[in-house]
Amino acid sequence: MTSVRVLLVQLDDTDPPGRLAEWLADAGAEIELVQPYREPLPEGDYTAVVCLGGPMGANDVIDHPWLVDVRKLLATCVTKRTPVLAVCLGAQLLAVATGGVVEVGANGPEVGGGLVAKRDLGAADPLFADLPMMPDVVQFHHDTVTRLPVDAALLAAATRYPNQAFRVGPVAYGIQFHIETTPEMVLAWARANPESAAWAKPGEFEPERLAELHADVEEVWQPFVERFVRLAKGELAPVSATRPTLPLI
């Protein structure tokens, strides 16, 4: 089996890798966890990079100067065509690092379980093609990507905030929502952020609802993570950089 060295970037104690680390390992990835708020990002080449979320904003570089290094890492991955999976704040950092815009969401936070709708471009994407048309996700964010980077491909959208999942270049993916959480993580976020939690639908934090939501997320997104590792291994071809052309008549 081809070895896949994955640099897993954790941006805050409150958002650990959760189930995502298990899914990566089960797919054959060798994980190196780094916490740039405590230690410098390591040098060296990795087969792939995964960047998680956190409570700060993608533009909060004065209070969190290490975010600059994370943005540089993500931009370098895009340039070198190193596969990236960036989650929530990670996706916002990927957008900012490659020319997009992130701002506080004008329509309030997205919190709790939800659905995103796969866009037409997702049908031709090696990671998104096999997703259902409206997969379940976990939301917990205030900021949103209000403008995608130039030439980014929008792969999934939602009503309140359109830019839910996107690809920059052939192999760098950003997802605004969470797939890594456990019910315990979501409950901890809700307790720590009661004003945000109030935006969730009634009953959203009931144990049975959270268990059902996470089972649905696992069913869809664990195979997605497996495909990401296969992409990093070279077993899945990245999307073609060639734009489709109309037939000449």
Side-chain angles (χ1 to χ4, degrees):
M1 181 179 294
T2 303
S3 175
V4 177
R5 296 180 65 223
V6 175
L7 182 64
L8 183 53
V9 184
Q10 180 179 337
L11 302 181
D12 193 80
D13 287 341
T14 62
D15 191 359
R19 301 185 299 175
L20 186 52
E22 299 173 11
W23 298 347
L24 289 165
D26 288 346
E30 298 177 6
I31 300 169
E32 180 176 343
L33 180 68
V34 63
Q35 298 170 326
Y37 52 100
R38 288 198 171 102
E39 56 192 325
L41 289 170
E43 297 181 359
D45 292 328
Y46 292 86
T47 318
V49 171
V50 175
C51 186
L52 299 173
M56 65 288 293
N59 299 306
D60 292 344
V61 295
I62 295 178
D63 292 332
H64 309 281
W66 49 268
L67 286 175
V68 174
D69 294 329
V70 178
R71 296 196 319 206
K72 288 180 180 177
L73 170 66
L74 296 174
T76 299
C77 287
V78 172
T79 300
K80 292 185 174 181
R81 298 193 173 188
T82 300
V84 170
L85 177 57
V87 178
C88 200
L89 173 59
Q92 296 166 5
L93 289 167
L94 173 63
V96 170
T98 53
V101 176
V102 171
E103 300 171 292
V104 176
N107 298 315
E110 278 187 306
V111 178
L115 299 172
V116 296
K118 189 167 67 175
R119 298 296 298 263
D120 291 346
L121 290 176
D125 183 87
L127 300 191
F128 279 78
D130 289 339
L131 287 180
M133 290 304 298
M134 298 187 70
D136 289 276
V137 300
V138 176
Q139 300 277 17
F140 214 111
H141 67 98
H142 298 79
D143 293 356
T144 188
V145 180
T146 54
R147 189 177 73 211
L148 289 173
V150 175
D151 291 338
L154 181 61
L155 301 174
T159 302
R160 189 185 299 177
Y161 297 117
N163 299 323
Q164 292 288 334
F166 58 94
R167 188 187 64 244
V168 183
V171 291
Y173 292 85
I175 55 176
Q176 174 60 80
F177 42 86
H178 293 275
I179 61 174
E180 80 285 9
T181 58
T182 63
E184 293 75 19
M185 287 170 61
V186 174
L187 285 173
W189 294 348
R191 287 193 297 268
N193 302 275
E195 293 182 0
S196 298
W199 285 77
K201 297 187 293 289
E204 197 68 5
F205 302 115
E206 294 296 326
E208 289 186 3
R209 164 58 183 155
L210 283 174
E212 179 184 12
L213 170 63
H214 282 81
D216 291 339
V217 168
E218 180 174 8
E219 181 179 2
V220 171
W221 294 100
Q222 182 173 10
F224 174 90
V225 172
E226 292 172 354
R227 292 193 293 275
F228 176 74
V229 174
R230 290 182 60 204
L231 179 71
K233 289 180 179 180
E235 296 176 358
L236 278 182
V239 68
S240 173
T242 305
R243 293 181 179 273
T245 57
L246 294 175
L248 297 177
I249 299 176

